[in-house]
Amino acid sequence: MCLYTHCDDSNSSEAQYINLEQARAHSDLTMSTEECLWREHVVQRLRERDRKECENFKEIIVQNNRLIDHVAQLKSDNLKLSVENEQLRNAVSTGGTGPNVAIATLEKKLLAQQEELTDLHKRKGEHSQMIVDLNLKVEQQKELLSEKEHSLYEQQTANNRLRAEVQLLHSSLEELKKLNTTLLDEHTALQLAFSSLEEKMRNVQDENRYLLERLMRYRAKDADKLNEENESLIRKRLPSLFRKRSAKLKRDLEDAVREPNSAVNPIVPAPGGTPLHRNSSPAQFGGPAGSDDEIDDGSINGAMEALGLNDEEYISARFMGGEAVHDVVRPNTNTSIETLKAAGYLGQPNPTKIFMKFEAHENESHAVRWSPVERMVATGGADRKVKLWDVGKGSTEPRAVLSGSSAGINSVDFDSTGAYILGTSNDYGARVWTVMDNRLRHTLTGHSGKVMAAKYVQEPIKVVTGSHDRTLKIWDLRSIACIETKFAGSSCNDLCTTDSLGSTIISGHYDKKIRFWDIRTEKQADDVLMPAKITSLDLSKDCNYLICSVRDDTIKLLDLRKNQVISTFSNEHFKISCDFARASFNSGASKIACGSADGAIYIWNVNGFLETTLKGHSSGSVPFFHSTAVNAVSWSPNSNSLASVGKSKRCIIYSDS
């Protein structure tokens, strides 16, 4: 009976749902198509649920009906047997033997029927328990169905919201496509305008170059005229001075030449006993330090005799710019140059002795730089490390190892106080460490190519970096952000700044140009064209002279006051080792050093001639120097010492004593 009741309840619930859906269909005529479909889907699911639930109970209901019919049949049989039993009892009471046998048979049959009835009651109880369990399951399924319906409603709501968002995104995509088409058209128009402006700029540059050449020719004519006037004036004033003491000083110099192994004092004493130093820097070689009467006669005549010059040749060499003393030296005066070095006219002696040497890095060494305040050297190599070496103590173990880079180091540089060290790397970044605690302070990332050089600008708050991505970037260390990008149009191999204020940045590039940038304006100031790509730049302390190592195996000396090359240094055996080979001025800007691909270090005097070559051998009394190409050299700012690194992983410190 419970099953029949359940089926009736299911049918009535289905009828109620159908009536409810019909009522809602009539009341919500304006409902959207998606909602109608959803309601039909719910009705269909309810019908499927009722069908499934009835299907599960159908066999049980049939069996139960059979059992009920069987029980009714047994009851009727039992009633008949009871009637027969009474009749038999009445017959027995009246007498007879035959009926006794029938009674016994009927009793057995009755017992069998009672046992069968008991079994049927037992099975009925089991079926009733099964019905109860199934009713519980039905209730659970109803709860689960309600949860599913609630979840379905939420999913439907989310689906509608997402459809609206998709529609908005489609509309915005169409707008962006239209905007992109407009921008492409504008870009094409701007490219055409840029090409036109670039052509105009080239024409203006050509015209400017032509006008500049004319201006320089006019200036050269004016300088020649002024030199002629100076020469005529000096010729009138100096002959009497030369004739007074020439005989005595020539005899003294002849005695010195006859004794080549004797030690010659590099400082020539003046007649009054005060030593007179000869300064060979470019800024002072072009003219006397004081008046003509203050020039020591012995110094003048000693230099003339050592170089093999007469009065007119010396006057021309000294007072007509002093740019090519070596041009007026006669071909047979090689020993005279050595004599002039020994006499002290070429400044301090060269650092030809090895002070110390050590294995700087695990791989090739790329960069070296002296500290401006102490005898300490920083090196950078392909092993991604910057190392500090205490040269003053002569220690071959690094004072500190600065890590943080994920690729090889290309350059290192100190600030003017020696408190910070700046390194560039092939991982497209530059880094700043503190020397005192060896900590990494700043990491500057933003280039899209390897960073080749970096210098302090307006220290210690700004840094400029040059990269192979054809840009220069100026960084503010307070915010650790790039505040300006200058587009050079060519890969930058090296750069330097004119002073601590950094008003002018000088950069050397792959396209053979030296570019000058004024950071106070957004425009490029000027450029100078070299015969080949530039590997390094170095500036004299007075910021008047610039050396530039060029890939055609020459070093150019530029006068920044004229923005022109005033001297070229080369040698038949000198070869630039790589695209980032570094040349260096000494502290007085009187000598230039640069490493070569053959492992030698060439030292030139700024007046044009080669003073010495630091080249060792594998045997003999001369010590073994670099065995492979020398990548970088650096003069000490506080002593006459020279540091060098190369592809052999070795760092060698040279000194003059």
Side-chain angles (χ1 to χ4, degrees):
M1 296 301 291
C2 293
L3 290 176
Y4 286 122
T5 304
H6 177 71
C7 293
D8 293 338
D9 292 341
S10 300
N11 293 330
S12 63
S13 63
E14 180 179 358
Q16 289 177 359
Y17 272 112
I18 294 172
N19 294 333
L20 180 61
E21 292 302 322
Q22 291 176 354
R24 288 183 180 178
H26 288 295
S27 61
D28 299 331
L29 294 176
T30 57
M31 185 178 297
S32 61
T33 305
E34 295 181 356
E35 292 180 352
C36 293
L37 293 175
W38 176 76
R39 294 181 184 280
E40 292 178 359
H41 178 72
V42 171
V43 171
Q44 185 178 359
R45 293 292 298 274
L46 289 173
R47 288 175 178 173
E48 290 179 357
R49 185 202 66 180
D50 293 340
R51 182 179 57 80
K52 290 179 180 179
E53 290 179 353
C54 292
E55 187 70 24
N56 293 331
F57 294 112
K58 185 178 293 184
E59 185 177 354
I60 295 173
I61 293 170
V62 172
Q63 293 292 336
N64 190 39
N65 292 334
R66 288 179 181 176
L67 289 174
I68 291 171
D69 294 338
H70 195 189
V71 167
Q73 183 66 33
L74 289 175
K75 285 182 178 181
S76 62
D77 292 342
N78 189 21
L79 182 60
K80 290 180 181 180
L81 290 174
S82 298
V83 172
E84 291 178 357
N85 190 18
E86 287 296 329
Q87 291 177 357
L88 289 174
R89 284 179 181 177
N90 294 328
V92 169
S93 60
T94 56
T97 58
N100 292 331
V101 176
I103 291 170
T105 302
L106 291 175
E107 287 180 351
K108 290 180 180 180
K109 188 175 181 180
L110 178 62
L111 290 175
Q113 292 294 329
Q114 287 179 347
E115 290 177 357
E116 185 176 358
L117 179 61
T118 303
D119 184 60
L120 288 175
H121 281 297
K122 184 178 179 181
R123 290 175 63 185
K124 180 180 179 182
E126 292 176 353
H127 289 163
S128 299
Q129 184 63 37
M130 186 180 298
I131 291 171
V132 171
D133 295 339
L134 290 175
N135 285 331
L136 291 175
K137 289 183 179 180
V138 167
E139 294 297 328
Q140 294 176 356
Q141 292 296 326
K142 285 182 179 180
E143 293 178 357
L144 182 62
L145 179 62
S146 63
E147 292 177 359
K148 294 291 185 182
E149 289 176 351
H150 182 68
S151 175
L152 179 63
Y153 176 75
E154 292 179 351
Q155 294 294 331
Q156 190 70 26
T157 305
N159 190 21
N160 293 335
R161 185 175 65 254
L162 291 175
R163 285 180 180 176
E165 291 179 1
V166 168
Q167 190 66 27
L168 291 175
L169 290 174
H170 278 300
S171 61
S172 62
L173 179 62
E174 294 297 328
E175 293 177 357
L176 289 175
K177 285 182 179 179
K178 294 178 181 178
L179 182 60
N180 187 32
T181 304
T182 305
L183 290 175
L184 287 175
D185 296 338
E186 292 180 358
H187 177 68
T188 304
L190 288 173
Q191 278 187 330
L192 295 174
F194 175 75
S195 300
S196 176
L197 292 174
E198 191 175 22
E199 183 66 26
K200 290 180 181 179
M201 184 188 70
R202 290 196 188 97
N203 295 333
V204 171
Q205 286 179 344
D206 294 339
E207 184 180 358
N208 185 32
R209 193 176 296 110
Y210 172 71
L211 293 174
L212 185 61
E213 290 174 356
R214 288 182 60 188
L215 177 61
M216 296 307 296
R217 286 198 297 270
Y218 289 142
R219 286 186 177 179
K221 289 180 181 179
D222 293 339
D224 292 340
K225 185 177 179 181
L226 182 60
N227 289 334
E228 290 176 0
E229 294 176 357
N230 291 337
E231 182 182 359
S232 62
L233 178 62
I234 293 170
R235 283 179 177 175
K236 292 177 182 179
R237 298 179 60 185
L238 289 183
S240 60
L241 181 64
F242 289 147
R243 286 193 297 270
K244 288 180 181 179
R245 301 178 183 176
S246 61
K248 179 178 179 299
L249 295 174
K250 287 180 181 179
R251 285 195 301 271
D252 293 340
L253 187 58
E254 288 174 358
D255 294 339
V257 172
R258 281 195 296 271
E259 299 176 3
N261 296 326
S262 62
V264 181
N265 191 352
I267 301 176
V268 180
T274 303
L276 176 67
H277 294 264
R278 295 285 295 153
N279 191 344
S280 59
S281 67
Q284 298 178 1
F285 198 89
S291 65
D292 294 335
D293 295 336
E294 295 174 354
I295 302 174
D296 179 38
D297 298 336
S299 298
I300 295 174
N301 288 302
M304 290 169 57
E305 186 68 25
L307 288 173
L309 305 178
N310 57 27
D311 293 348
E312 292 184 358
E313 289 170 335
Y314 177 76
I315 292 170
S316 175
R318 181 171 176 82
F319 296 100
M320 291 185 68
E323 297 160 353
V325 173
H326 60 286
D327 293 337
V328 299
V329 178
R330 296 189 177 94
N332 58 354
T333 58
N334 292 331
T335 58
S336 299
I337 292 177
E338 298 298 327
T339 304
L340 191 60
K341 295 178 189 176
Y345 292 103
L346 301 181
Q348 58 189 1
N350 292 310
T352 57
K353 298 179 181 179
I354 293 182
F355 178 73
M356 62 183 296
K357 58 183 177 180
F358 48 86
E359 296 293 325
H361 294 276
E362 299 173 2
N363 306 104
E364 179 180 347
S365 300
H366 293 163
V368 63
R369 183 70 65 178
W370 285 87
S371 169
V373 295
E374 55 182 324
R375 283 181 61 78
M376 181 175 65
V377 167
T379 61
D383 60 357
R384 304 176 294 178
K385 297 174 183 176
V386 175
K387 296 184 179 181
L388 303 180
W389 308 87
D390 200 334
V391 179
K393 296 181 180 179
S395 174
T396 58
E397 293 297 326
R399 170 177 166 178
V401 178
L402 309 179
S403 59
S405 174
S406 58
I409 303 296
N410 292 322
S411 72
V412 292
D413 193 31
F414 288 90
D415 70 328
S416 61
T417 65
Y420 296 91
I421 185 168
L422 178 62
T424 63
S425 174
N426 286 332
D427 63 359
Y428 305 169
R431 291 166 178 82
V432 179
W433 293 269
T434 48
V435 176
M436 180 176 295
D437 56 6
N438 309 320
R439 291 178 59 188
L440 177 63
R441 293 295 181 180
H442 309 296
T443 299
L444 310 176
T445 56
H447 284 288
S448 59
K450 56 185 178 180
V451 184
M452 298 302 298
K455 298 288 182 183
Y456 278 96
V457 182
Q458 298 177 0
E459 59 183 34
I461 62 173
K462 291 183 181 179
V463 165
V464 59
T465 56
S467 170
H468 267 203
D469 64 2
R470 304 180 181 180
T471 64
L472 278 69
K473 291 183 180 290
I474 300 176
W475 307 82
D476 190 336
L477 297 183
R478 295 169 296 186
S479 59
I480 318 178
C482 176
I483 59 176
E484 185 177 356
T485 299
K486 295 185 178 295
F487 297 92
S490 177
S491 299
C492 177
N493 283 338
D494 199 7
L495 55 83
C496 56
T497 55
T498 55
D499 49 35
S500 61
L501 295 178
S503 58
T504 302
I505 300 170
I506 307 172
S507 57
H509 295 269
Y510 192 86
D511 64 354
K512 311 177 186 179
K513 289 183 179 180
I514 300 175
R515 290 177 169 83
F516 298 84
W517 311 84
D518 190 342
I519 66 172
R520 295 167 296 186
T521 64
E522 296 182 356
K523 296 181 180 179
Q524 178 185 340
D526 203 352
D527 58 40
V528 177
L529 183 64
M530 292 288 113
K533 58 186 176 183
I534 297 159
T535 68
S536 74
L537 302 173
D538 195 26
L539 198 62
S540 63
K541 281 188 176 180
D542 58 7
C543 300
N544 290 334
Y545 296 91
L546 178 74
I547 58 171
C548 168
S549 56
V550 188
R551 207 64 173 94
D552 65 350
D553 301 325
T554 63
I555 296 177
K556 307 291 184 182
L557 176 63
L558 287 81
D559 188 340
L560 297 182
R561 295 167 295 185
K562 301 177 183 178
N563 255 22
Q564 65 180 13
V565 177
I566 60 174
S567 187
T568 300
F569 306 93
S570 63
N571 187 273
E572 60 179 342
H573 301 296
F574 174 70
K575 303 291 181 184
I576 295 290
S577 61
C578 58
D579 287 344
F580 52 88
R582 308 299 191 194
S584 177
F585 266 128
N586 70 340
S587 59
S590 61
K591 298 181 182 182
I592 299 168
C594 187
S596 175
D598 59 0
I601 299 174
Y602 290 76
I603 299 178
W604 288 273
N605 189 284
V606 291
N607 293 311
F609 52 86
L610 180 67
E611 288 197 12
T612 187
T613 302
L614 305 180
K615 175 64 176 177
H617 304 283
S618 58
S619 62
S621 60
V622 181
F624 191 81
F625 290 30
H626 286 285
S627 59
T628 56
V630 179
N631 291 334
V633 297
S634 177
W635 287 91
S636 171
N638 304 315
S639 63
N640 191 26
S641 300
L642 181 69
S644 62
V645 295
K647 293 185 177 180
S648 62
K649 303 183 288 186
R650 180 179 298 171
C651 177
I652 301 179
I653 310 297
Y654 302 91
S655 179
D656 57 357
S657 60

